[in-house]
Amino acid sequence: MFGDFDFQVIFDNLDILWDGMLITFLLTAVAIVGGILFGTVLALMRLSKFTPLSILAGRYVDAFRSTPLILVIFWFYFAMPIIGLEAIGGLGSVLIAFTLFEAAYYCEIIRAGIQSITRAQVDAGLAVGLTKGQTMRFVVLPQAFRNMVPVLLTQAIVLFQDTSLVYVVGLKDFLTAADLIAVRDNRVVELYLAAAVVYFVLCIIASLWVRKLQRQYAI
Amino acid sequence: MIEIENVSKWYGDFQVLNHCSTAVDKGEVVVVCGPSGSGKSTLIKCVNGLEPFQEGKITVDGVSVGDKSTNLPRLRSQIGMLFQNFELFPHMTALENICLAQTKVLGREDDEAEERGMKLLERVDLVEHAAKHPAQLSGGQQQRVAIARALAMDPIAMLFDEPTSALDPEMINEVLDVMVELANEGMTMIVVTHEMGFARKVADRVVFMDEGRIEEDATKDDFFGTPRGDRAQLFLSKILEH
């Protein structure tokens, strides 16, 4: 099986791999954007002085963080039809599951980021006449997100790799596509090696890009 | 213009302000001094509602600060405030710092706000630093940008919370000079500071606080001539010793 490697198999199946990569990209992008947006809302709820809101957000985070992602994917896949949302389909249910799951993690990252901004900065925002909301939007959040960039990137990379879990509901992301070809054509080493290289290169590029951004916007 | 009547404030069981009363007339400059932890900063933060207080009443230009129906952002936009550590917004340039509240609070157009901002930067002698971020400026420069930021709102009064305490000695004067100018132009000011030279030069009155109480509230001449209380005398002898 490991005797003669034939990397031609990769080029012969580029279309399948590319389709898988598109799914991976789509999941990652939607979960990052949706997760950060919803995560910000959750973080603001958690930090709210209105106790019911903060408890609600806290429970949400606890619930998702104590559940394996693979179970969350399962549940949403099977739960959607049950609650009458069959039309959403497999991909839709997975997109929702990832976004809600990631939001719990982003919530904690963003909450820590917001808390890293000093009370005096908030006072300065309020003192010039900004409302609490404006102070959050123009003074606290921009600084908080700058501080959070490294952790947000780490989370995004973990997420990017976690997208392969969608195989459990029959979706073909990049790794699942590679796996299918590997088994079908009996070219396991070639495809797993290629997949590893692709993940590695993409993650390195993302890291370098973020580092460049950080230098550019250094404060 | 600013009336503080019988204000008391507690952090839990600890009383930080104890029946504080004083008043500041339009155009008056009042220096607040006292040992650290005496409640000076807390008192001026009560004036623009950054700190809530449990008892008493503060009015600014006829508006009650503690009233639930008071539009605090609007009131604060009329009261300039300077902080010990400047508190410029580090993610914005000097000019952007000055323009933010002008556009978001007063609703000025961008170019109008920038024009105003540049004029104020000229006034504090920092025009060439307009595009720099706070981290690229010295402490004294940052504090002058902060003064420009406050002035951009056309404040009716200004609060200074130890504006020179975090500065290196050689930068203190560049900030005090701007403050003296403001005082001479008739700005209503409450200044928490240990700079007794500044107090002698421009203060109309000096308020001395200790353990949350206003112990002395006297004209400058009376205060530096013959402070009545022992504590004030002790405090003055300590800070004027060197």
Side-chain angles (χ1 to χ4, degrees):
Chain A
M1 179 179 170
F2 297 120
D4 45 341
F5 293 156
D6 178 10
F7 286 95
Q8 189 57 38
V9 63
I10 293 156
F11 301 101
D12 290 344
N13 292 289
L14 271 184
D15 51 338
I16 301 176
L17 290 170
W18 177 245
D19 286 347
M21 188 50 90
L22 286 181
I23 296 272
T24 295
F25 281 152
L26 177 70
L27 272 170
T28 309
V30 169
I32 287 177
V33 174
I36 288 181
L37 288 177
F38 186 39
T40 307
V41 173
L42 283 171
L44 293 175
M45 284 170 66
R46 271 208 94 162
L47 293 170
S48 159
K49 285 199 188 102
F50 184 58
T51 326
L53 271 187
S54 111
I55 290 178
L56 190 68
R59 292 286 179 279
Y60 177 95
V61 171
D62 289 343
F64 274 95
R65 286 209 306 183
S66 26
T67 315
L69 175 55
I70 202 162
L71 275 183
V72 177
I73 296 170
F74 249 132
W75 280 346
F76 275 82
Y77 183 72
F78 290 112
M80 286 299 159
I82 292 172
I83 59 170
L85 292 170
E86 209 151 343
I88 286 175
L91 183 61
S93 78
V94 163
L95 285 172
I96 293 171
F98 266 86
T99 303
L100 296 185
F101 184 84
E102 288 302 314
Y105 284 84
Y106 281 123
C107 166
E108 290 304 277
I109 295 173
I110 293 163
R111 182 170 71 113
I114 291 173
Q115 284 176 324
S116 74
I117 306 304
T118 60
R119 167 76 200 273
Q121 275 286 304
V122 177
D123 279 353
L126 295 175
V128 289
L130 298 175
T131 61
K132 281 181 188 170
Q134 288 175 320
T135 302
M136 186 53 79
R137 183 167 150 212
F138 298 118
V139 177
V140 177
L141 286 180
Q143 294 185 60
F145 274 104
R146 276 172 174 76
N147 295 348
M148 287 183 286
V149 164
V151 200
L152 289 177
L153 172 72
T154 307
Q155 185 62 28
I157 288 178
V158 172
L159 162 65
F160 176 62
Q161 296 169 0
D162 278 353
T163 52
S164 57
L165 291 176
V166 297
Y167 80 88
V168 295
V169 293
L171 284 173
K172 284 195 214 67
D173 74 299
F174 175 66
L175 184 59
T176 310
D179 185 53
L180 286 175
I181 301 162
V183 174
R184 187 194 66 196
D185 295 354
N186 200 17
R187 291 285 172 201
V188 176
V189 176
E190 289 89 336
L191 278 148
Y192 282 4
L193 196 63
V197 168
V198 168
Y199 275 112
F200 181 78
V201 169
L202 287 175
C203 290
I204 288 286
I205 290 174
S207 294
L208 293 176
W209 177 64
V210 169
R211 226 172 284 172
K212 184 168 162 261
L213 276 187
Q214 267 182 302
R215 266 202 304 276
Q216 231 161 24
Y217 294 102
I219 48 174
Chain B
M1 167 176 280
I2 300 172
E3 283 94 31
I4 301 173
E5 296 165 41
N6 256 319
V7 169
S8 294
K9 175 180 172 68
W10 288 263
Y11 286 123
D13 288 339
F14 180 68
Q15 187 161 13
V16 265
L17 295 177
N18 193 341
H19 295 93
C20 294
S21 295
T22 189
V24 183
D25 289 335
K26 190 168 162 42
E28 211 175 10
V29 177
V30 173
V31 163
V32 182
C33 61
S36 58
S38 57
K40 315 175 293 274
S41 296
T42 310
L43 182 66
I44 68 163
K45 282 182 181 161
C46 287
V47 172
N48 66 350
L50 286 180
E51 290 279 358
F53 48 92
Q54 286 87 5
E55 277 178 21
K57 188 174 187 194
I58 298 180
T59 54
V60 178
D61 206 21
V63 180
S64 171
V65 178
D67 228 325
K68 281 219 159 51
S69 62
T70 297
N71 184 342
L72 272 181
R74 195 185 135 70
L75 180 71
R76 289 180 186 131
S77 73
Q78 300 173 317
I79 309 174
M81 183 156 198
L82 275 293
F83 298 86
Q84 186 172 355
N85 293 308
F86 332 127
E87 305 304 337
L88 292 179
F89 308 130
H91 56 299
M92 298 179 185
T93 65
L95 185 59
E96 285 166 353
N97 263 279
I98 301 171
C99 292
L100 178 69
Q102 288 191 72
T103 52
K104 305 298 178 199
V105 178
L106 301 180
R108 287 182 187 153
E109 295 297 327
D110 285 347
D111 47 352
E112 189 191 354
E114 276 175 28
E115 195 182 325
R116 188 74 211 285
M118 289 309 287
K119 261 190 203 142
L120 287 164
L121 280 173
E122 198 178 317
R123 168 171 187 171
V124 294
D125 208 13
L126 290 169
V127 171
E128 65 273 28
H129 300 290
K132 288 189 182 164
H133 281 82
Q136 298 166 289
L137 300 172
S138 74
Q141 290 170 332
Q142 288 188 56
Q143 194 63 298
R144 285 185 285 149
V145 172
I147 292 176
R149 177 174 73 180
L151 288 176
M153 306 299 285
D154 300 317
I156 56 171
M158 289 178 80
L159 310 170
F160 296 79
D161 186 6
E162 304 206 28
T164 57
S165 309
L167 292 175
D168 290 333
E170 74 269 24
M171 294 172 186
I172 290 178
N173 281 331
E174 66 186 56
V175 171
L176 288 181
D177 286 347
V178 180
M179 289 168 59
V180 169
E181 252 179 62
L182 283 173
N184 291 337
E185 284 166 17
M187 177 62 77
T188 308
M189 296 161 68
I190 303 183
V191 185
V192 173
T193 186
H194 293 151
E195 293 294 334
M196 288 303 129
F198 173 80
R200 279 181 203 274
K201 205 186 277 177
V202 296
D204 295 300
R205 283 192 2 255
V206 180
V207 166
F208 174 77
M209 288 185 72
D210 193 27
E211 292 179 354
R213 272 192 211 85
I214 292 184
E215 298 279 355
E216 305 262 345
D217 186 349
T219 64
K220 170 176 63 179
D221 294 335
D222 282 351
F223 184 79
F224 288 114
T226 49
R228 279 159 290 181
D230 297 341
R231 285 167 189 275
Q233 279 175 13
L234 184 68
F235 176 76
L236 271 183
S237 72
K238 272 185 186 158
I239 61 170
L240 296 179
E241 216 161 60
H242 298 288

